Amino acid sequence: MLLFVLILAPGKVLASGDSLLHLHYRDGELPLADVAFQIYKIGSLDREQKLQLEEGFRPYPIHLQGTKAAQWNECAQTLGAYVLRDQLPPTASGRTDGEGRLSWTLPAGVYLIVGEDAVRGNHKYRTSPFILALPALDGTQGPALHEVTALPKPEGEELPPGPSEETEIKVIKIWEDRGHGDERPASVKVALLENGAVREVVELSRENHWRHIWHELNPRSSWAVTEEGVDARTYEVLIREEEGIFTVVNSYRPPQEPPGEGDTERPPGKEPPSPPRIPQTGQDWWPVFVFAGAGVLSLALGHLQEIRKRKKGGKG
């Protein structure tokens, strides 16, 4: 499922070292105006470009700590639901203008972007939460870029005319704990969220085949689920949704052995990875990336190579 398109432009480096994030929200040629977006700084990148979470996001039972960018958006929907449930204050927020545009100036970090569902007549537009880093890397070992444009892809849904209570939401629990089933709890609790607030908590167990269906729900509301009371030391949670069916996957997490004496020493002759290069201005290429959950597809590498060839050919 396509989450968003990311356009990386050279832009100008702000004196503060901050980055510009532009957001364009459209359904084809139709701009989606007055749609709220919240931004949460969830962490920063270390010297190996791995995510180090902020303290407030570490307790969640989600596999994000120490991961790289290709893995982030697998977890964005799960993290977004927990953030809304706990009503965490956003780092920044705003609403799209008449052209569906919105911009922020943000310090370096890794950010979760969450957009509200928008109802326009008998159409409902949803966008999946996504995660990105600022400044951004171009994927070709080039310099970090301080101006980024995100194009979240809305998913349209036609609503029944007039007031209606016809939506069903199903939740299914899946265990990925082969060989460790004896550590599985006898039951788990799952909360149904309506517009970010907990509407009902149900218990899933072997008796109900680890599933539940909610009936007669308002199709104009925003719906999400979270798993409650997960022992993050034993299980990681990943929540996926497709056409009103939420799949909650619990993956067994082996115990972390404490590092042995001297494990942190650097092998002889090994130097730490170099930090990202300082952004440069004046570049004349605009890499474009499409994020589709599992990774990144560059649409502009061929164009970049052609420009470099032309530059070399024009010298002398």
Side-chain angles (χ1 to χ4, degrees), residues 21-249:
L21 174 61
H22 308 293
L23 186 145
H24 298 175
Y25 195 42
R26 306 171 68 91
D27 178 24
E29 297 300 316
L30 174 67
L32 297 175
D34 196 33
V35 180
F37 282 84
Q38 289 81 40
I39 299 182
Y40 303 85
K41 184 180 181 183
I42 65 172
S44 57
L45 295 178
D46 63 17
R47 295 172 68 89
E48 296 180 349
Q49 301 304 307
K50 292 183 178 180
L51 173 59
Q52 300 302 316
L53 290 169
E54 298 276 317
E55 191 66 35
F57 294 90
R58 292 181 185 176
Y60 292 121
I62 303 171
H63 179 55
L64 273 171
Q65 179 74 8
T67 59
K68 291 195 173 184
Q71 301 167 266
W72 296 344
N73 286 301
E74 271 284 306
C75 305
Q77 182 175 19
T78 308
L79 182 60
Y82 281 112
V83 164
L84 293 177
R85 181 201 66 181
D86 294 343
Q87 299 182 5
L88 298 185
T91 305
S93 61
R95 289 183 172 273
T96 54
D97 63 15
E99 296 297 318
R101 299 173 183 266
L102 187 57
S103 295
W104 299 271
T105 301
L106 297 165
V110 178
Y111 292 89
L112 170 73
I113 294 91
V114 181
E116 71 174 6
D117 291 356
V119 176
R120 300 291 183 267
N122 288 333
H123 282 83
K124 179 179 177 181
Y125 295 97
R126 298 185 299 159
T127 185
S128 297
F130 58 95
I131 297 173
L132 54 78
L134 296 173
L137 298 177
D138 68 5
T140 62
Q141 303 302 314
L145 302 174
H146 283 254
E147 186 166 6
V148 175
T149 299
L151 282 66
K153 178 172 175 55
E155 294 182 19
E157 173 187 349
E158 189 168 352
L159 300 172
S164 175
E165 301 286 328
E166 297 181 356
T167 291
E168 289 186 352
I169 299 291
K170 177 184 286 188
V171 62
I172 301 172
K173 159 66 67 181
I174 293 177
W175 296 95
E176 293 185 352
D177 57 356
R178 180 175 295 180
H180 299 278
D182 56 339
E183 300 188 45
R184 186 186 303 178
S187 64
V188 299
K189 292 183 178 180
V190 173
L192 176 68
L193 310 182
E194 182 177 13
N195 301 323
V198 176
R199 169 165 172 154
E200 185 181 5
V201 178
V202 299
E203 192 169 290
L204 306 182
S205 67
R206 188 184 298 271
E207 281 67 33
N208 57 17
H209 305 288
W210 302 100
R211 61 190 63 199
H212 181 80
I213 301 178
W214 289 277
H215 302 277
E216 298 181 346
L217 302 177
N218 185 351
R220 294 173 179 265
S221 294
S222 301
W223 299 100
V225 302
T226 57
E227 184 174 352
E228 309 295 293
V230 182
D231 184 352
R233 298 168 300 178
T234 307
Y235 286 98
E236 294 167 352
V237 176
L238 183 64
I239 300 173
R240 302 186 181 99
E241 186 269 338
E242 188 169 354
E243 296 183 355
I245 300 175
F246 288 88
T247 304
V248 181
V249 181

